[in-house]
Amino acid sequence: MASYTINGLSVTPIHGDFGAENCMPYIYLLSCFENLIPGFQLIRIQDKYAVIIFRGTGLDNERHVAFSAQLGSLEKNPAWGGSERVGTPYLFDVSNIESDGSLVKKDSRRWHHALGNALWHTDSSFNQHRSKYSLLLAHAVPVAGQGNTEFADTRQAWKDYPEAEKEKLRRYVVEHELWHSRKLASPDEYEKLTPEERNVKPPAYHKLVQQGPSGEETLFLAAHAKTLFDIDGNRLVDSQKIIWDLIANCTQSKYTFTAEWKAAGTLMWWDNRQSMHRASPYTENMGPRDVRRSTVIDDGPLAFGISKSYTEKLQVK
């Protein structure tokens, strides 16, 4: 599609109003929010397209974190999550590289954990305080055609959903659990959780139908979605079928595109309130894939999900 320019920001749409590319060096990225107009326009572009891809940014860890922090408070990597190699708790190491520099082995817990990233998901939906943005920066990329990321537009998918079904879906609450997606991706490995895993990430509860940054409705979905409840707290016995039917609908080709990393310095910034994504699964011949993610915590009215009184009602049932 044709490019256009807003206040000096060059934008190339990727898939209609979903996804855009922009070539912008880190010096300009970091200075955007020191100048009201460029910073405001960058947020407007993000709100419109939900996914922005920057090429050749020149960002390092420090600059990556600095730019992300201009967008809001950052989620800290839990101690068990592995931030030793990247050296900061504000970056999640989602690479196939161990702390000693070796590649992740196929029989390791980390390999199996990463299999869940190849399922369609929304980052941190399993946290009660959900995320708003994810910013994933490449430090090293594998050969062409490996390690790509796919994105799905949950806004347009919801807009096209039959009106007769929407009112019912608006009443649903979703239980999200990290270990549910991990068990789906690797059932034998995650048949039993370690005590640390079980305690550190309890389920979270969020409405199925949410609002995007402009107030439009959108689906809040992920492979982490384990159970659906109705407005009275009753568990739906066909939860998984409903959830995966919705995911299948959102991930039709008319709502998705594939983003290629191409080179180190690529930064992909997406809005978890308006999209789902999935990574290419690890392969033994992939080579080093060094990508690091900052996560901006949501500050909107639905950021904390469903109220404590509602979740207590669920636990009683």
Side-chain angles (χ1 to χ4, degrees), residues 109-178:
R109 189 74 160 181
R110 182 169 176 176
W111 177 288
H112 286 278
H113 190 277
L115 294 177
N117 295 331
L119 301 176
W120 287 106
H121 67 283
T122 303
D123 288 335
S124 300
S125 71
F126 46 75
N127 290 336
Q128 198 61 53
H129 189 177
R130 71 178 190 173
S131 69
K132 177 166 60 174
Y133 301 134
S134 292
L135 297 96
L136 189 62
L137 176 70
H139 289 249
V141 299
V143 297
Q146 296 192 24
N148 294 336
T149 301
E150 294 178 86
F151 294 96
D153 187 351
T154 55
R155 308 165 303 177
Q156 189 61 46
W158 169 258
K159 184 181 292 186
D160 294 344
Y161 213 76
E163 289 293 334
E165 294 293 316
K166 285 184 176 180
E167 192 57 38
K168 178 174 63 176
L169 295 174
R170 289 186 183 104
R171 295 166 61 86
Y172 290 164
V173 171
V174 188
E175 176 190 35
H176 293 259
E177 186 183 55
L178 171 62

Side-chain angles (χ1 to χ4, degrees), residues 33-267:
F33 292 89
E34 296 172 5
N35 185 313
L36 179 61
I37 293 176
F40 177 69
Q41 293 293 357
L42 196 57
I43 293 296
R44 284 185 61 192
I45 292 168
Q46 168 56 238
D47 288 349
K48 178 175 180 178
Y49 290 104
V51 181
I52 309 178
I53 301 171
F54 301 99
R55 306 288 185 187
T57 62
L59 293 171
D60 56 16
N61 281 353
E62 182 179 1
R63 296 180 179 117
H64 181 183
V65 171
F67 173 65
S68 304
Q70 293 179 102
L71 302 171
S73 299
L74 301 184
E75 184 179 333
K76 293 186 71 171
N77 198 347
W80 59 273
S83 58
E84 300 88 354
R85 190 178 70 85
V86 300
T88 170
Y90 294 109
L91 292 178
F92 290 74
D93 186 1
V94 287
S95 307
N96 65 345
I97 304 170
E98 298 284 13
S99 57
D100 63 2
S102 64
L103 296 186
V104 174
K105 293 180 174 57
K106 190 172 182 179
D107 59 351
S108 68
R109 189 74 160 181
R110 182 169 176 176
W111 177 288
H112 286 278
H113 190 277
L115 294 177
N117 295 331
L119 301 176
W120 287 106
H121 67 283
T122 303
D123 288 335
S124 300
S125 71
F126 46 75
N127 290 336
Q128 198 61 53
H129 189 177
R130 71 178 190 173
S131 69
K132 177 166 60 174
Y133 301 134
S134 292
L135 297 96
L136 189 62
L137 176 70
H139 289 249
V141 299
V143 297
Q146 296 192 24
N148 294 336
T149 301
E150 294 178 86
F151 294 96
D153 187 351
T154 55
R155 308 165 303 177
Q156 189 61 46
W158 169 258
K159 184 181 292 186
D160 294 344
Y161 213 76
E163 289 293 334
E165 294 293 316
K166 285 184 176 180
E167 192 57 38
K168 178 174 63 176
L169 295 174
R170 289 186 183 104
R171 295 166 61 86
Y172 290 164
V173 171
V174 188
E175 176 190 35
H176 293 259
E177 186 183 55
L178 171 62
W179 309 118
H180 174 68
S181 61
R182 270 45 196 169
K183 190 171 181 179
L184 286 177
S186 188
D188 292 337
E189 182 71 18
Y190 282 95
E191 179 64 30
K192 292 185 178 180
L193 299 178
T194 67
E196 186 178 26
E197 288 170 338
R198 188 178 301 280
N199 293 332
V200 77
K201 281 296 178 188
Y205 300 89
H206 298 277
K207 289 184 176 180
L208 173 62
V209 181
Q210 304 261 347
Q211 286 187 336
S214 301
E216 74 284 3
E217 288 186 316
T218 181
L219 286 163
F220 190 60
L221 276 173
H224 314 308
K226 182 178 180 180
T227 309
L228 289 174
F229 297 88
D230 65 21
I231 197 67
D232 296 318
N234 299 306
R235 184 187 304 264
L236 303 185
V237 295
D238 53 350
S239 291
Q240 280 295 290
K241 182 181 186 309
I242 296 172
I243 288 165
W244 284 98
D245 283 349
L246 288 168
I247 290 175
N249 184 69
C250 290
T251 55
Q252 297 176 76
S253 60
K254 61 183 176 180
Y255 303 129
T256 63
F257 70 88
T258 300
E260 185 180 353
W261 285 92
K262 293 185 180 179
T266 296
L267 175 71

